[in-house]
């Protein structure tokens, strides 16, 4: 008994739990935001009411508490919760004793007196949210202080500093501002509203139409918040395909589109657009070798492009940070409805490459693109290269496993679309003798919310342009086996690939 009294007395004499850094208190002459009385009330309520923890465990984490002692106590509580053991004064004290943290947490007396702070456990969740708000304020102060300190350093790379600041601020929001669950009544009501909106809208598409009839019929347009990966080997026409789509969306449907070209300059892309729009060969445009009637044809056709809400950014080695910032600005200023990125392997994650391999960096990029699509609620279309394994197979049609550098691209994408042109591999006729010149297939190999299908298109190489096939152009079954296994299709003729003479990252020429 005397021993217990002595222990309690010693505990009372101890200094009460200083913040992690006293310098935080005196910096700028202000005390960091905190709510230690509410921290005590929350911990006390958890040890009194068995349901109190369930209401806040997804609201706050141990580091949200200001006092180190409170962090230690809350971590002990979460360990007990994870093991399915009861939580009260005795079990928490015993857990801290077992881990050797009891004295650091203030001793048995301090833990016991936490329950005296609780009048009712009914407001525990509200108190926890105030604690979280104070934690976010402290995090913002910490991040801002680091930014100010680094900004004064002459050796600091300003763009790396911008990227670091954005990532830290984004992390605070992502970690601490999670969405709560919604009940079925709210979810069903929202789903029905979306269905009604799709029924009442002009046209038959709930998303952004591509301008290709059969492709839009299968997809109902590119859906908001979807990440669509368009993949093919170099030279298949990835840039031509998305550029044709961007033109269709901006010119035909008057929807604003942002195109981020990491490979080609904006003038080169516009020259391609002019070539396709005016139906003038690209090599003649590059040389300026046009007849008088062709100049008239060019001037008559470009008027449709001049007023198109199409925004092209050709910043090389674009980082995820820069992309997010630019897309947010374009969304606010021009209400863009679709983003196109050409292409994903040329992007950087905005991190030190020496700290991880390229596969990890691509994984970070693909996750960020999916987050961007959800944040802006628009489809994001990203081009991707395929690895060389497709060239080693007799059947050259691509598979999901051919996606280059990271399986995360396949995992994060809502849709994966492959471009395949038999003509590229010198297959001019199929096994039935039908011409394959100009034939292209858009193969939907992954479709999270719809069907898998092969969609035939027509590729006009001299204009670098895709169009719907003319009646009787091609006859294709449109069947696509699950998991991207293309079983039926064109007879494959093994020939020397043009890829051996081509740069890995160059796309289709004019």
């Amino acid at each position: 008994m005397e021993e217990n009294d002595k222990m309690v007395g010693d505990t009372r004499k101890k200094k009460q739990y200083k913040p992690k850094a006293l310098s935080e208190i005196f910096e700028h002459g202000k005390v960091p935001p905190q709510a230690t009385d509410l921290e005590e009330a929350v911990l006390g309520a958890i040890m009194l009411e068995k349901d109190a923890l369930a209401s806040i465990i997804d609201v706050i984490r141990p580091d949200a508490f200001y006092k180190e002692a409170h962090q230690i106590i809350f971590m002990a509580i979460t360990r007990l919760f994870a093991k399915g053991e009861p939580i009260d004064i005795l079990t928490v004290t015993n857990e801290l004793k077992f881990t050797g943290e009891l004295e650091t947490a203030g001793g048995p007396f301090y833990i016991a007196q936490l329950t005296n702070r609780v009048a009712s456990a009914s407001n525990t969740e509200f108190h926890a949210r105030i604690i979280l708000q104070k934690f976010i304020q402290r995090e913002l102060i910490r991040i801002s202080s680091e930014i100010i300190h680094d900004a004064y350093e002459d050796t600091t790379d300003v763009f790396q500093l911008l990227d670091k600041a954005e990532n830290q601020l984004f992390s605070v929001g992502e970690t601490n501002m999670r969405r709560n669950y919604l009940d079925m009544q709210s979810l069903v009501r929202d789903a029905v509203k979306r269905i009604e909106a799709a029924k009442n809208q002009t046209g038959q598409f709930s998303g952004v139409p591509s301008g290709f009839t059969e492709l839009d019929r299968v997809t109902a347009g590119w859906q908001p918040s979807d990440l669509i990966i368009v993949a093919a080997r170099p030279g298949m026409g990835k840039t031509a395909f998305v550029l044709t789509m961007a033109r269709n969306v901006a010119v035909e449907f008057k929807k604003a589109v942002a195109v981020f070209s990491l490979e080609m300059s904006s003038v080169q892309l516009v020259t391609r657009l002019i070539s396709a729009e005016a139906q003038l060969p690209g090599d003649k445009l590059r040389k300026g070798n046009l007849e008088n009637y062709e100049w008239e044809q060019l001037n008559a056709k470009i008027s449709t492009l001049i007023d198109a809400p199409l925004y092209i950014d050709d910043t090389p080695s674009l980082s995820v940070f820069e992309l997010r910032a630019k897309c947010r600005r374009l969304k606010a200023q021009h209400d863009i409805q679709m983003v196109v990125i050409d292409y994903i392997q040329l992007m950087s994650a905005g991190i030190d490459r020496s700290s991880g391999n390229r596969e990890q960096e691509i994984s970070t990029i693909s996750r960020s693109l999916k987050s961007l699509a959800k944040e802006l609620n628009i489809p994001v279309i990203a081009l991707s290269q395929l690895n060389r394994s497709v060239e080693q197979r007799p059947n050259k049609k691509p598979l999901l496993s051919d996606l280059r550098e990271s399986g995360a691209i396949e995992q994060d994408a809502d849709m994966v679309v492959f471009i395949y042109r038999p003509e590229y591999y010198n297959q001019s006729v199929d096994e039935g003798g039908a011409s394959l010149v100009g034939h292209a297939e858009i193969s939907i190999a992954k479709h999270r919310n719809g069907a898998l299908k092969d969609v035939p298109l027509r590729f006009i190489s001299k204009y670098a342009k895709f169009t719907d096939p003319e009646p009787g152009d091609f006859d294709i079954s449109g069947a696509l086996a699950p998991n991207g296994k293309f079983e039926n299709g064109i007879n494959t003729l093994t020939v020397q690939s043009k890829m051996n003479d081509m740069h890995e990252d160059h796309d289709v020429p004019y």
Side-chain angles (χ1 to χ4, degrees):
M1 189 70 171
E2 289 179 25
E3 245 180 291
N4 287 339
D5 291 341
K6 186 177 178 184
M7 184 176 66
V8 170
D10 290 344
T11 306
R12 285 174 176 168
K13 291 176 186 176
K14 285 187 178 179
K15 257 186 169 177
Q16 291 288 325
Y17 330 109
K18 295 181 289 186
K20 286 179 285 186
L22 281 174
S23 60
E24 291 178 353
I25 292 182
F26 300 109
E27 188 176 4
H28 309 302
K30 294 181 180 179
V31 177
Q34 56 185 285
T36 53
D37 54 340
L38 294 181
E39 292 178 10
E40 292 172 353
V42 166
L43 293 173
I46 292 171
M47 290 186 286
L48 280 180
E49 297 285 340
K50 66 175 184 177
D51 296 327
L53 180 61
S55 66
I56 68 161
I57 197 164
D58 62 340
V59 176
I60 56 174
R61 305 187 319 275
D63 57 357
F65 290 87
Y66 181 67
K67 283 190 175 181
E68 183 182 1
H70 295 167
Q71 293 180 11
I72 294 170
I73 294 169
F74 190 73
M75 282 190 286
I77 289 171
T78 55
R79 287 197 299 270
L80 290 171
F81 179 79
K83 292 185 286 188
E85 296 180 5
I87 298 168
D88 56 34
I89 296 171
L90 296 177
T91 57
V92 172
T93 302
N94 189 63
E95 175 69 17
L96 290 169
K97 190 183 296 182
F98 178 76
T99 58
E101 298 173 304
L102 182 57
E103 293 305 313
T104 310
F109 175 77
Y110 183 71
I111 295 170
Q113 64 93 31
L114 287 174
T115 58
N116 296 331
R117 299 284 190 176
V118 184
S120 169
S122 59
N123 297 323
T124 304
E125 185 177 352
F126 181 75
H127 295 161
R129 294 195 181 278
I130 295 176
I131 294 170
L132 178 64
Q133 291 170 17
K134 299 299 181 184
F135 169 68
I136 293 173
Q137 286 178 273
R138 294 198 301 273
E139 283 293 282
L140 292 175
I141 291 170
R142 178 186 63 80
I143 293 168
S144 301
S145 299
E146 289 179 3
I147 294 169
I148 292 170
H149 177 271
D150 292 342
Y152 275 109
E153 295 290 334
D154 292 334
T155 57
T156 302
D157 184 286
V158 66
F159 296 107
Q160 287 185 356
L161 179 58
L162 275 172
D163 188 41
K164 176 185 174 183
E166 197 276 345
N167 283 335
Q168 287 182 318
L169 290 171
F170 183 74
S171 177
V172 170
E174 281 291 289
T175 307
N176 300 292
M177 297 181 186
R178 298 182 182 275
R179 290 186 60 186
N180 204 349
Y181 62 84
L182 296 173
D183 57 44
M184 280 301 294
Q185 184 179 4
S186 303
L187 292 171
V188 170
R189 189 185 300 116
D190 291 344
V192 170
K193 283 181 180 177
R194 182 173 294 188
I195 294 168
E196 289 174 347
K199 174 190 173 184
N200 297 329
Q201 69 181 1
T202 55
Q204 56 180 333
F205 309 120
S206 57
V208 178
S210 67
F212 301 120
T213 306
E214 180 64 14
L215 185 59
D216 287 334
R217 189 186 67 78
V218 176
T219 63
W222 307 121
Q223 298 299 307
S225 79
D226 274 5
L227 172 61
I228 299 105
I229 299 296
V230 176
R233 288 295 292 157
M236 277 290 175
K238 297 186 298 297
T239 302
F241 176 66
V242 295
L243 206 56
T244 303
M245 277 200 306
R247 177 265 171 205
N248 292 344
V249 173
V251 174
E252 303 295 338
F253 301 99
K254 310 298 181 186
K255 295 179 183 290
V257 181
V259 177
F260 293 89
S261 176
L262 286 76
E263 184 176 32
M264 299 176 65
S265 72
S266 54
V267 173
Q268 287 175 315
L269 287 181
V270 171
T271 305
R272 277 198 174 196
L273 282 168
I274 292 172
S275 172
E277 192 71 18
Q279 297 195 16
L280 296 171
D283 58 344
K284 297 191 75 171
L285 291 178
R286 285 197 301 271
K287 297 172 185 175
N289 186 23
L290 301 178
E291 303 294 336
N292 289 335
Y293 77 92
E294 290 177 319
W295 280 110
E296 294 175 4
Q297 184 176 330
L298 185 149
N299 290 324
K301 291 288 186 179
I302 60 174
S303 59
T304 58
L305 294 177
I306 290 174
D307 298 325
L310 186 58
Y311 306 94
I312 299 175
D313 186 307
D314 60 358
T315 304
S317 301
L318 190 69
S319 71
V320 171
F321 156 70
E322 293 173 304
L323 177 71
R324 279 200 300 259
K326 290 182 177 188
C327 287
R328 287 168 184 155
R329 194 177 307 121
L330 284 166
K331 183 65 175 176
Q333 295 176 354
H334 303 289
D335 192 26
I336 55 172
Q337 299 297 304
M338 187 171 79
V339 170
V340 175
I341 300 154
D342 182 14
Y343 56 89
I344 197 171
Q345 278 83 12
L346 291 180
M347 290 189 69
S348 70
I351 57 177
D352 184 5
R353 289 197 178 192
S354 63
S355 63
N357 58 36
R358 180 59 177 165
E359 184 174 337
Q360 292 172 335
E361 188 175 17
I362 291 293
S363 299
T364 300
I365 293 168
S366 66
R367 283 194 301 271
S368 299
L369 294 181
K370 176 58 183 175
S371 297
L372 177 66
K374 290 182 68 176
E375 177 188 342
L376 300 183
N377 196 36
I378 59 175
V380 172
I381 300 176
L383 273 60
S384 177
Q385 295 282 20
L386 297 177
N387 57 44
R388 291 183 180 274
S389 61
V390 68
E391 303 293 325
Q392 313 304 320
R393 298 195 301 266
N395 188 341
K396 307 296 185 186
K397 296 181 89 172
L399 307 173
L400 287 172
S401 58
D402 296 326
L403 283 170
R404 182 175 165 188
E405 288 185 320
S406 176
I409 296 176
E410 176 189 342
Q411 295 168 14
D412 295 328
D414 296 281
M415 287 184 67
V416 177
V417 174
F418 292 127
I419 302 174
Y420 175 69
R421 293 191 296 113
E423 188 181 7
Y424 177 83
Y425 294 107
N426 295 333
Q427 298 176 25
S428 57
V429 294
D430 64 13
E431 56 186 4
S435 174
L436 292 175
V437 176
H439 174 57
E441 289 178 26
I442 306 303
S443 299
I444 303 174
K446 178 184 177 182
H447 194 181
R448 190 164 280 161
N449 301 304
L452 306 181
K453 190 175 177 65
D454 285 355
V455 177
L457 289 181
R458 187 164 172 252
F459 179 67
I460 307 172
S461 58
K462 62 180 178 179
Y463 305 141
K465 176 181 180 181
F466 283 82
T467 66
D468 280 329
E470 299 290 335
D473 263 357
F474 313 113
D475 182 19
I476 184 170
S477 67
L480 177 62
N483 301 320
K485 296 178 181 176
F486 305 93
E487 302 295 349
N488 52 0
I490 289 110
N491 181 41
T492 54
L493 175 67
T494 306
V495 295
Q496 181 69 27
S497 169
K498 293 187 290 184
M499 288 308 309
N500 297 330
D501 302 320
M502 226 172 161
H503 190 277
E504 179 72 7
D505 291 332
H506 283 187
D507 209 328
V508 62
Y510 279 95

